[in-house]
Amino acid sequence: MTTVTEQPTTTLKKGYVGQSIARREDKRLVQGQGTFFDDVRRHGMGYVHFVRSPYAHARIVSIDVSKALELDGVYGTITGDEVAISTDPFFEMSVEPGGNIKDYALAVGRARHMGEPVAAVCAATRELARDAADLVEIEYEPLPALVEGEQALKNEVVLHDEAGSNVVWSGVFSWGDVDQALAEADHVVKIDRLHFHRFASTPLECAGALVEYDKGMGEWTIHCNHQMPGIGAIWMAPALRVGIDKLRFVTQDIGGGFGNKICLHPQYVVLCLLARKLGRPVQWTEWRTDQHTANAHGNERTFLDIEVAVKADGEMTGFKVRAIDDCGAFPRYEPLGCIIWAQVTPGMYGWRNIHVDFTQVCTNKSPVSPNRGYSRMQHLWLTERIVDIVAAELGLDPVEVRKRNYVKAEQMPYETPNGCVYDSGDYAAALDMALELIDYGSIEERRKEAAERGKLLGLGVGSTLDSGTNNFGQSTLLNPDLQFSGNNEAASVKLDIFGEVVVTLGTVPQGQGHETTAAQVVADILGCPPEQVNVRRGHDTWFNAHAGFSGTYASQFAFTGLGAVKGAAELLRDEMVKLAAFVLQAPEESIELSDGMARIKDGPEEAALPFMALGAIVNANNAFLPPDFNPTLNHRYVCRPYFGMVDKEKKTGQLTLTYATQIHAAVVEIDPETGEVEIIDYAAVDDCGVRINPQIVEGQVHGATAHAIGAALSEDFVYDEDGTLLTANFYDYHVPHALDMPPLKTGAMESPSPVAPLGAKGMGEGGGGGIHCICAAIQNALRPAGKPIVYDSCNPPHRVWSMLQDPEATRANVEVASR
Amino acid sequence: MPARRLLVHFLRDDLGLTGTHVGCDTGNCGACTIHLDGEPVKSCMLLAVQVDGAAITTIEGLAPDGELTPLQRAFNEHHALQCGYCTPGMLMSATALLERNAHPSEEEVRIALQGNICRCTGYVNIVEAVKAAGGGA
Amino acid sequence: MLLREVDYARPETVKDAIALLAENDGARPLAGGQTLVNVMKARAASPEVLVDLGRLDQLRTISFGADGMLELGAMATYAQLISSSEVEVARPILGEVAATIADVQVRNRGTIGGNVCVNDPTNHLPPLLVALDARFTIRSQGGERTVGASDFFQGVYLTAVGEGELLTKISVPPATSGTGDGFAAMTIGRHGTCIVDAAATVTEDGVRVVLGCVAPTPARVTEMEERLAGSDLSEESVRAAAAGVGATLDPPSDVHGSADYRRALAETLAARAVLQAAARRKR
């Protein structure tokens, strides 16, 4: 039983918070004056190109760089052998056998996925580096490629000898009594296999860094776009055998992250080694092809042997499932994905008996990295598929089944079977709003009209949770020896000598508008207009405004990032009030901050000090302050969300603090001859509690929806049996362009979070709502055509066509046993 | 300067005009869009030598004195950018559209932007911004 | 991503361009660059000399020949096809199909000559030009010759244009009364790469149906054309004529569709293209 500690939500007077203030970041970005890492230049810098494995699996017999070194303009090279000597393998989070995997910055002895970096060359220009790469001679001995997660379990082809098994992690999660629920059920719905496919958010700016090495200090400066430098440093410093303080990460503008810029440490270590070896700054920009083949895919998860217990009245009482998660060639951030789904174990629903047998395996595919919706999205897709398949098979209305089974608003805060607490939300009301936006009442009419035109029309709902503010203690449920728990984020707010308010953040924004929203929060607390608040761009280790978990990920900025900003601003405010009270010789309670001044409330006009005066006193004119009063006007605050400890035995605990709701609804028309799916109506309703900047929130909903639509209808990282990625560019890996997007209607609700500092939940990932509702809509549309079951999360035209040709093949997947 | 140098790298690396961006390897994403003799083209599919004698406008040329164009201001007002990486290319394509078609419809805007990929906004606010700058057809 | 070293020439006349192509084994013409530059970035092909046709304005014209044929200069861009009043009057399907190719930026540079000379099986214009019974004029140092569409497209990436030769223009018959054109495609996303496409022309002499993406070169569907001889071109007859076409094809299987899927698409799209052409017959 977990206790919820209600962190008091300050009722910030509704000032700038809550307003859709236009973003300050835009001024530089619309003029092309943003500074992305590839815009940074250093005199004498070298450009790096990675030589990558063309094989999915191969022994590296020999590497000869001599011809590359002879090319004029080439500064140097590095290979796996050198890396194995001068670095240690990266820290692994799993227990044995996965924890024994040796993961180096370059392939050592063996290449384990197509595109894996095997060597690197550095040259005076980008073109020369590319030419030099062609001159590196590598002899490979191809090995059989393992490309199926289920195959991996057989351990016929084993990727990592040190582990001796392809299993990275496995465990059983069992809460309640699912066997009893199944025994008592009126219907048991069995689904053999559902598959959540491999895709990623493919941020437009590729990964990369410019690395400088200061020989005198033994320090590296890494100008980059790593979106979670806290953990980047934890991986890199021990590998480089240096203290963590020797790594300075500097980010400025970042062209999207979505989680795909978290596992950049292998390439960054190579750059650090080269910078040190060659005595010059070195720069690497990832190619698009490399991002697709070798950077970050989302977790691919296969769900097997699903059994669902359903009562006659439509109440779903429990489910069991066997999940196989394919994390590609190296775990890296994994196996965290093996527990993070448990933040949303029951999905949106009230069932109490849940059994998940979870195994994660390595295959010869690109390593995964957290991808927008990380691990929760896969699990929520499962629960939504279950609801739709149960409804379809039992002849129930999927909307009614949802309402029957949703956790109710009156039950909030709601403790799930594994001890997580859904903080607030009204799922039924959000669903109603979504249905109204797509004119639910007219669906049958529209279905008939479409049929007259030869089209199959369908409606689907996808409900999803965007869980935010991670408790890293959940990692101990995977590996009890890990020393991680809780979470934190830092910020500092100061008043400069000329009265300038300056904010530095530990977060690493990649488009979420942190500079603007932080300014809104500070402006309300300090009583000045947001334009007077300067927020330093990006993350810099030397700002010292970061903590161990700093970064932008896991839908938590509104809680932890802004919580830190709020905390620091309040400390500053209190000090400013105290200082003003002293100077104006008035009691502290009578001092207010407004319009950029500290003044006596309802006092004479002269009884006011501009911020500049306060700054000047402390910084330049402080002799008259008494010895026991030492204001700094410079405050760093660490927001530490409170979770309590997790229970390693029962695998329960508060794994995350806030839960934003998103309910999506889609209406599709399918061309039965071609399988083409057209979205003709779409609605997304978001409830993330208090919205700091509603326009920014809505922008995140749009973006998450576009990602989900792309994933649902076309984006798929497909491999052939040799482990070659077939969708390595934007022709074959089709992402939505402007003409591909349906008209989007959005709605918003605000169920404030009782636990978040500003009542604002984290949001942004979107939980894959679009994938869930499009799968549902397709299944609904195809009902007249043999009732095929949608079994895969990606349904491009050829798959829909196959379902139309042979609906029975998909139906063989499902069995209903009824009393 | 080698004949093989792509125009986008010439602009970025040789001229220091880093507002034009590279987002892909195959000419799909449009982040590199510039104007060549007034027409939007992808600078990653041109060699720098090819444009000898032609007039090139990059994002830096839209508001050379720092006075934002109505379109740039509309992007800000309508929250038409998040990470900003596709934004220069979007602005070049949209500016060219508005020069030819002062009041484009929604479909016309989407056609004009079809060669510019965005992964942040879902295009919703971008289309709104362009329509608004066009006086809202 | 980055090209190998290459020599570059920008001749001022067609004669000079052909001379450069004839004199250098490793020379390739650079038209719009929307395919070739990508190919060179991937280092899938690395010509030694690029002969930039960009200065050859005489290859950019769209006009009517003395015989009334619509003459499209090989360097005419997709954008020119779309905005040309000659095309709109004589054979509007050309502009309509061009408007679905990729995007504005590509259409501002990509040329009709480049599209056909690459002869990628997924390109839009080869099957369309076969349906329109276009003729292709090729010039070399030895003179000029004109080739019919079926002889022009010879294999994947292979056309009748040989070493030291240059395609200078494509001639398309103007639509006369009773002529209608149709085009139907299944693409990867809107305006994306074709998965299967079909072009059809209905004239008083009969029907021409051509499929793209199913064979190394555009495939005339002669069985379907024969079944439609003298037909009323109703939905029923056209569908019936298309039935079974798939079985005669041997299309590729790839990530965007199996061979069977392409066979099914071929039948559907061939029928739709013919029906479209029939509905648009000029009075």
Side-chain angles (χ1 to χ4, degrees):
Chain A
M1 165 74 189
T2 4
T3 34
V4 178
T5 301
E6 277 208 13
Q7 278 138 2
T9 53
T10 302
T11 38
L12 279 180
K13 61 179 198 295
K14 268 279 178 173
Y16 299 105
V17 166
Q19 286 189 47
S20 290
I21 292 187
R23 297 186 342 157
R24 58 185 50 202
E25 291 90 334
D26 293 358
K27 179 158 179 280
R28 64 182 186 266
L29 293 171
V30 298
Q31 296 185 74
Q33 290 170 356
T35 302
F36 298 87
F37 86 89
D38 191 88
D39 302 337
V40 179
R41 298 293 141 81
R42 287 291 182 268
H43 181 73
M45 65 193 261
Y47 291 86
V48 174
H49 185 94
F50 283 96
V51 182
R52 294 169 181 271
S53 170
Y55 296 102
H57 200 192
R59 201 168 68 81
I60 299 167
V61 177
S62 66
I63 303 180
D64 183 352
V65 298
S66 53
K67 293 208 178 71
L69 288 169
E70 281 162 18
L71 186 66
D72 215 16
V74 171
Y75 295 143
T77 62
I78 189 165
T79 66
D81 291 336
E82 292 170 73
V83 165
I85 292 168
S86 49
T87 67
D88 291 326
F90 295 117
F91 158 66
E92 293 292 333
M93 287 198 263
S94 194
V95 290
E96 294 183 0
N100 291 339
I101 289 173
K102 285 200 166 52
D103 182 9
Y104 284 96
L106 287 175
V108 174
R110 251 212 274 184
R112 293 178 177 86
H113 67 92
M114 175 179 150
E116 185 179 357
V118 172
V121 296
C122 181
T125 68
R126 298 179 203 265
E127 293 104 352
L128 285 172
R130 179 67 191 82
D131 291 344
D134 277 348
L135 297 173
V136 174
E137 290 169 339
I138 305 183
E139 200 192 324
Y140 294 97
E141 187 191 293
L143 298 167
L146 176 61
V147 293
E148 292 290 331
E150 291 161 83
Q151 262 307 101
L153 291 171
K154 297 187 188 156
N155 281 330
E156 284 158 359
V157 173
V158 175
L159 262 68
H160 300 279
D161 292 335
E162 322 81 51
S165 159
N166 292 320
V167 172
V168 173
W169 188 90
S170 74
V172 175
F173 302 84
S174 204
W175 304 288
D177 188 339
V178 75
D179 289 325
Q180 186 166 355
L182 288 165
E184 290 173 0
D186 296 307
H187 307 283
V188 172
V189 177
K190 290 192 181 163
I191 307 165
D192 283 347
R193 188 177 188 279
L194 296 173
H195 175 251
F196 192 94
H197 73 294
R198 202 169 246 274
F199 64 94
S201 303
T202 70
L204 199 61
E205 183 208 27
C206 291
L210 170 82
V211 177
E212 302 173 87
Y213 181 65
D214 182 321
K215 197 164 178 182
M217 297 295 288
E219 290 172 354
W220 285 275
T221 300
I222 302 162
H223 300 272
C224 65
N225 50 21
H226 198 298
Q227 68 180 100
M228 211 173 152
I231 195 166
I234 289 173
W235 270 314
M236 289 173 63
L240 287 165
R241 301 175 186 147
V242 299
I244 221 164
D245 200 48
K246 297 299 185 192
L247 297 173
R248 175 185 174 199
F249 287 83
V250 179
T251 75
Q252 296 179 76
D253 291 304
I254 298 181
F258 317 112
N260 298 164
K261 287 174 174 158
I262 288 180
C263 294
L264 306 182
H265 53 287
Q267 288 94 334
Y268 285 6
V269 163
V270 172
L271 299 176
C272 286
L273 293 173
L274 275 171
R276 185 171 63 187
K277 176 177 170 178
L278 303 178
R280 64 172 73 239
V282 300
Q283 192 266 24
W284 163 68
T285 305
E286 178 185 56
W287 299 108
R288 169 62 47 197
T289 307
D290 299 333
Q291 193 192 104
H292 285 205
T293 50
N295 181 5
H297 289 181
N299 295 57
E300 181 182 354
R301 199 169 294 169
T302 305
F303 300 103
L304 301 164
D305 305 328
I306 302 157
E307 291 180 48
V308 190
V310 190
K311 294 274 200 191
D313 64 359
E315 186 198 345
M316 304 185 303
T317 54
F319 72 91
K320 72 191 313 188
V321 64
R322 195 160 61 91
I324 299 175
D325 190 278
D326 178 347
C327 73
F330 294 93
R332 300 199 170 138
Y333 202 84
E334 297 305 310
L336 280 184
C338 300
I339 184 67
I340 280 177
W341 61 267
Q343 296 173 7
V344 293
T345 299
M348 322 283 283
Y349 306 104
W351 37 20
R352 307 295 303 177
N353 306 292
I354 296 171
H355 179 103
V356 177
D357 181 333
F358 199 106
T359 304
Q360 184 172 70
V361 292
C362 278
T363 60
N364 291 120
K365 299 187 204 168
S366 170
V368 302
S369 174
N371 180 50
R372 191 172 202 166
Y374 182 39
S375 194
R376 292 97 87 221
M377 167 171 64
Q378 287 82 344
H379 188 78
L380 288 160
W381 180 77
L382 168 72
T383 59
E384 291 300 289
R385 284 280 74 230
I386 286 176
V387 168
D388 275 313
I389 291 170
V390 163
E393 295 305 294
L394 299 181
L396 302 171
D397 179 344
V399 169
E400 290 312 311
V401 173
R402 284 186 168 83
K403 287 193 175 171
R404 176 85 186 68
N405 288 279
Y406 271 165
V407 173
K408 315 258 178 300
E410 332 47 288
Q411 292 173 285
M412 300 292 183
Y414 174 79
E415 189 177 323
T416 70
N418 60 315
C420 292
V421 180
Y422 291 177
D423 54 343
S424 66
D426 187 342
Y427 306 154
L431 175 55
D432 282 335
M433 194 187 278
L435 292 174
E436 204 188 301
L437 286 170
I438 49 120
D439 196 13
Y440 182 52
S442 71
I443 287 299
E444 291 315 317
E445 210 180 291
R446 289 156 84 178
R447 205 190 295 269
K448 283 197 195 87
E449 190 275 325
E452 282 158 24
R453 286 182 284 110
K455 295 278 173 72
L456 297 168
L457 184 141
L459 161 76
V461 169
S463 27
T464 195
L465 292 169
D466 207 344
S467 56
T469 311
N470 245 339
N471 176 0
F472 282 91
Q474 65 201 273
S475 63
T476 62
L477 301 182
L478 304 172
N479 180 350
D481 294 335
L482 288 176
Q483 304 293 311
F484 295 120
S485 69
N487 196 338
N488 54 33
E489 187 52 90
S492 77
V493 183
K494 67 171 177 174
L495 201 62
D496 254 351
I497 185 171
F498 290 125
E500 211 178 40
V501 179
V502 182
V503 180
T504 52
L505 305 168
T507 63
V508 187
Q510 323 105 33
Q512 298 89 342
H514 291 182
E515 291 164 46
T516 301
T517 50
Q520 287 173 258
V521 169
V522 173
D524 276 350
I525 292 170
L526 297 185
C528 64
E531 300 77 60
Q532 203 177 330
V533 177
N534 294 279
V535 183
R536 290 244 184 90
R537 165 175 55 184
H539 170 108
D540 188 331
T541 310
W542 286 5
F543 286 167
N544 196 26
H546 67 286
F549 295 114
S550 279
T552 296
Y553 60 96
S555 296
Q556 62 183 51
F557 173 73
F559 189 127
T560 56
L562 291 180
V565 168
K566 171 174 177 287
E570 284 170 346
L571 289 172
L572 176 61
R573 175 200 60 199
D574 293 345
E575 223 184 34
M576 287 165 72
V577 163
K578 191 167 174 182
L579 177 59
F582 179 81
V583 173
L584 295 172
Q585 311 223 305
E588 276 177 46
E589 317 78 71
S590 71
I591 302 291
E592 68 173 8
L593 302 181
S594 61
D595 301 317
M597 308 277 277
R599 53 164 57 94
I600 297 176
K601 266 184 269 212
D602 307 320
E605 262 198 60
E606 320 80 73
L609 289 166
F611 285 8
M612 183 160 134
L614 297 174
I617 289 168
V618 166
N619 284 289
N621 194 4
N622 57 36
F624 66 95
L625 297 176
D628 58 346
F629 178 36
N630 190 16
T632 63
L633 296 184
N634 186 343
H635 295 278
R636 177 178 183 274
Y637 184 85
V638 178
C639 173
R640 182 178 79 91
Y642 182 71
F643 302 93
M645 300 300 286
V646 299
D647 184 326
K648 293 181 201 177
E649 215 192 281
K650 298 197 198 119
K651 298 201 179 81
T652 59
Q654 245 188 313
L655 305 187
T656 192
L657 277 188
T658 63
Y659 290 84
T661 310
Q662 281 199 12
I663 312 277
H664 290 233
V667 180
V668 303
E669 274 188 14
I670 298 182
D671 180 337
E673 290 187 291
T674 65
E676 200 170 5
V677 176
E678 189 189 346
I679 304 174
I680 59 165
D681 210 347
Y682 197 103
V685 174
D686 177 89
D687 180 355
C688 60
V690 169
R691 294 176 294 163
I692 309 293
N693 185 319
Q695 193 177 49
I696 288 181
V697 166
E698 199 192 20
Q700 291 297 313
V701 175
H702 292 159
T705 301
H707 269 134
I709 288 175
L713 295 177
S714 60
E715 295 182 45
D716 196 354
F717 284 129
V718 181
Y719 285 84
D720 68 11
E721 65 268 8
D722 296 322
T724 305
L725 179 67
L726 301 174
T727 50
N729 57 50
F730 278 145
Y731 282 111
D732 295 309
Y733 184 90
H734 179 80
V735 306
H737 292 234
L739 286 170
D740 294 312
M741 286 297 291
L744 285 193
K745 297 173 192 154
T746 57
M749 289 173 56
E750 288 192 3
S751 304
S753 172
V755 299
L758 295 155
K761 309 181 191 199
M763 62 82 62
E765 288 179 86
I771 305 175
H772 316 328
C773 76
I774 290 171
C775 285
I778 292 172
Q779 187 170 295
N780 183 257
L782 297 182
R783 272 180 76 76
K787 297 205 221 164
I789 300 292
V790 168
Y791 58 89
D792 197 291
S793 45
C794 187
N795 292 280
H798 72 83
R799 182 159 290 137
V800 175
W801 180 81
S802 295
M803 289 164 61
L804 284 159
Q805 298 310 299
D806 192 358
E808 278 313 304
T810 65
R811 291 199 55 71
N813 215 349
V814 174
E815 195 193 296
V816 180
S818 306
R819 272 190 214 283
Chain B
M1 199 230 346
R4 62 163 161 174
R5 181 152 303 158
L6 298 173
L7 178 60
V8 67
H9 287 130
F10 175 69
L11 292 170
R12 290 181 52 77
D13 298 338
D14 294 297
L15 299 185
L17 295 169
T18 56
T20 304
H21 298 149
V22 175
C24 77
D25 305 334
T26 47
N28 296 99
C29 78
C32 65
T33 303
I34 50 128
H35 290 179
L36 172 62
D37 292 330
E39 288 189 332
V41 297
K42 293 174 181 174
S43 62
C44 74
M45 288 203 284
L46 279 161
L47 306 180
V49 289
Q50 282 184 272
V51 304
D52 185 21
I56 302 281
T57 311
T58 65
I59 181 73
E60 291 89 346
L62 288 192
D65 306 315
E67 176 149 347
L68 300 183
T69 66
L71 181 64
Q72 284 168 313
R73 280 186 271 116
F75 264 53
N76 175 239
E77 283 152 27
H78 292 269
H79 188 39
L81 58 149
Q82 292 181 26
C83 81
Y85 199 73
C86 77
T87 306
M90 286 285 178
L91 285 167
M92 298 312 287
S93 291
T95 298
L97 169 71
L98 293 174
E99 280 168 4
R100 286 155 182 67
N101 179 351
H103 305 292
S105 66
E106 167 120 6
E107 175 88 349
E108 286 168 330
V109 173
R110 287 180 185 272
I111 289 171
L113 299 180
Q114 178 67 356
N116 292 83
I117 292 177
C118 173
R119 298 255 64 190
C120 292
T121 66
Y123 309 98
V124 182
N125 290 343
I126 296 175
V127 172
E128 288 308 306
V130 177
K131 275 163 49 181
Chain C
M1 311 88 188
L2 293 169
L3 280 59
R4 290 207 175 94
E5 277 185 24
V6 68
D7 284 328
Y8 170 84
R10 192 160 65 171
E12 303 278 340
T13 67
V14 174
K15 181 154 172 266
D16 289 341
I18 289 172
L20 284 163
L21 290 169
E23 283 153 25
N24 296 282
D25 266 348
R28 281 219 14 200
L30 175 63
Q34 303 303 282
T35 300
L36 184 55
V37 174
N38 279 342
V39 166
M40 292 175 73
K41 279 186 209 169
R43 302 196 171 194
S46 298
E48 283 159 23
V49 185
L50 283 176
V51 179
D52 187 347
L53 307 178
R55 283 250 163 89
L56 307 180
D57 290 334
Q58 65 265 57
L59 296 185
R60 289 193 190 279
T61 56
I62 296 177
S63 59
F64 289 105
D67 53 2
M69 291 284 269
L70 175 63
E71 294 188 344
L72 311 165
M75 284 294 284
T77 62
Y78 306 132
Q80 277 179 267
L81 288 181
I82 293 165
S83 61
S84 158
S85 45
E86 287 88 348
V87 168
E88 197 180 329
V89 153
R91 215 73 201 239
I93 190 80
L94 286 162
E96 288 161 20
V97 171
T100 66
I101 296 177
D103 52 64
V104 168
Q105 296 95 312
V106 168
R107 297 196 285 270
N108 281 336
R109 293 288 304 166
T111 63
I112 184 169
N115 193 291
V116 303
C117 289
V118 164
N119 197 19
D120 183 313
T122 63
N123 282 1
H124 298 64
L125 297 183
L128 178 61
L129 291 168
V130 172
L132 299 180
D133 202 12
R135 303 189 61 73
F136 299 76
T137 303
I138 302 169
R139 207 184 294 179
S140 66
Q141 287 178 318
E144 204 173 79
R145 62 199 175 90
T146 300
V147 162
S150 46
D151 294 323
F152 183 81
F153 299 106
Q154 297 182 348
V156 178
Y157 309 139
L158 219 55
T159 66
V161 179
E163 297 280 326
E165 296 192 309
L166 198 61
L167 175 73
T168 54
K169 78 176 178 210
I170 299 171
S171 308
V172 174
T176 50
S177 111
T179 301
D181 300 318
F183 189 87
M186 180 65 174
T187 57
I188 305 170
R190 280 202 65 191
H191 296 190
T193 307
C194 292
I195 299 172
V196 174
D197 54 337
T201 294
V202 170
T203 64
E204 281 164 349
D205 300 326
V207 179
R208 291 166 72 90
V209 187
V210 187
L211 290 166
C213 305
V214 298
T217 57
R220 285 275 300 274
V221 195
T222 42
E223 306 88 349
M224 187 175 171
E225 293 176 1
E226 280 156 18
R227 284 183 216 136
L228 288 172
S231 149
D232 62 353
L233 297 181
S234 65
E235 168 117 26
E236 232 185 284
S237 5
V238 172
R239 295 273 175 192
V245 163
T248 68
L249 302 170
D250 185 20
S253 244
D254 66 14
V255 71
H256 303 294
S258 63
D260 278 341
Y261 179 56
R262 283 192 162 84
R263 288 188 182 99
L265 282 179
E267 289 184 18
T268 300
L269 296 173
R272 289 183 185 179
V274 171
L275 288 167
Q276 207 188 100
R280 296 170 55 156
R281 273 174 289 192
K282 209 171 149 140
R283 310 230 167 281

